[in-house]
Amino acid sequence: MNELRELYQEMIIDHGRNPRNFGSLPNANHKKEGFNPLCGDKIHLFIEEAHGVLNDLRFEGCGCAIAMASASLMTELLKQKTIEQAHALFANFHQMVTTKNNSTELIEKMGKLAVLSGVSEFPARVKCATLAWHTLQAALVDDDKKVSTE
Ligand code: ZN
């Protein structure tokens, strides 16, 4: 268990230092800024969506390793997924980071996001881990018409 924990920690640090999909997205038709005042995490999320499918996601911002790693993993995992799949994944992810002693079944279902399962032991960090996801939900209900490609 300790080895797994160390591996998870290394992956968080790696994604935190070298976030994937970092940058803006010129053709984004959804974008939103998210802020977690508890920790000072800030992200700006860009989504290119068509017919309910998230074709591309990128983000910019700064914050702690957990917030950056969560945004990095989220943008990686949600590419080419439907909005419905994204909401379902967030529901599971939210349960994982807010519930102590998660079932192995749930953690296995989370794939790469399992690296953030340890967050459930640190309630103060839950908002760091969920910032990108809350920003995603807000972005999807709030179209930014100015950058619409339509
Ligand atoms: Zn944070």
Side-chain angles (χ1 to χ4, degrees):
M1 197 62 201
N2 277 340
E3 267 175 47
L4 188 62
R5 231 164 240 237
E6 269 170 41
L7 177 71
Y8 283 178
Q9 222 151 35
E10 270 171 39
M11 282 182 70
I12 292 171
I13 291 166
D14 174 45
H15 274 267
R17 279 192 191 146
N18 310 294
R20 318 306 194 259
N21 305 305
F22 196 84
S24 67
L25 199 55
N27 295 328
N29 50 353
H30 301 272
K31 51 180 198 169
K32 199 85 194 167
E33 278 179 73
F35 180 51
N36 169 22
L38 278 181
C39 179
D41 309 314
K42 228 182 243 181
I43 78 156
H44 198 165
L45 185 67
F46 304 90
I47 305 165
E48 200 185 312
E49 174 262 339
H51 313 293
V53 177
L54 309 174
N55 289 323
D56 206 357
L57 300 97
R58 284 194 209 159
F59 76 102
E60 286 178 333
C62 56
C64 68
I66 291 173
M68 292 296 104
S70 180
S72 174
L73 288 161
M74 182 190 82
T75 52
E76 241 185 8
L77 288 167
L78 294 185
K79 247 180 226 188
Q80 302 303 320
K81 295 278 196 298
T82 64
I83 290 175
E84 222 168 87
Q85 287 172 316
H87 287 318
L89 195 60
F90 179 42
N92 283 332
F93 179 70
H94 194 264
Q95 194 191 332
M96 181 185 78
V97 296
T98 54
T99 316
K100 279 186 190 179
N101 305 316
N102 283 289
S103 67
T104 326
E105 196 196 345
L106 176 72
I107 292 188
E108 274 170 9
K109 230 194 309 189
M110 298 315 296
K112 274 189 178 180
L113 290 172
V115 303
L116 292 162
S117 58
V119 169
S120 63
E121 286 167 45
F122 306 94
R125 310 311 294 273
V126 169
K127 290 204 166 147
C128 302
T130 55
L131 173 65
W133 295 85
H134 284 301
T135 309
L136 172 92
Q137 290 202 315
L140 290 174
V141 295
D142 185 13
D143 290 357
D144 191 326
K145 303 290 185 205
K146 274 180 281 179
V147 294
S148 173
T149 51
E150 308 273 305

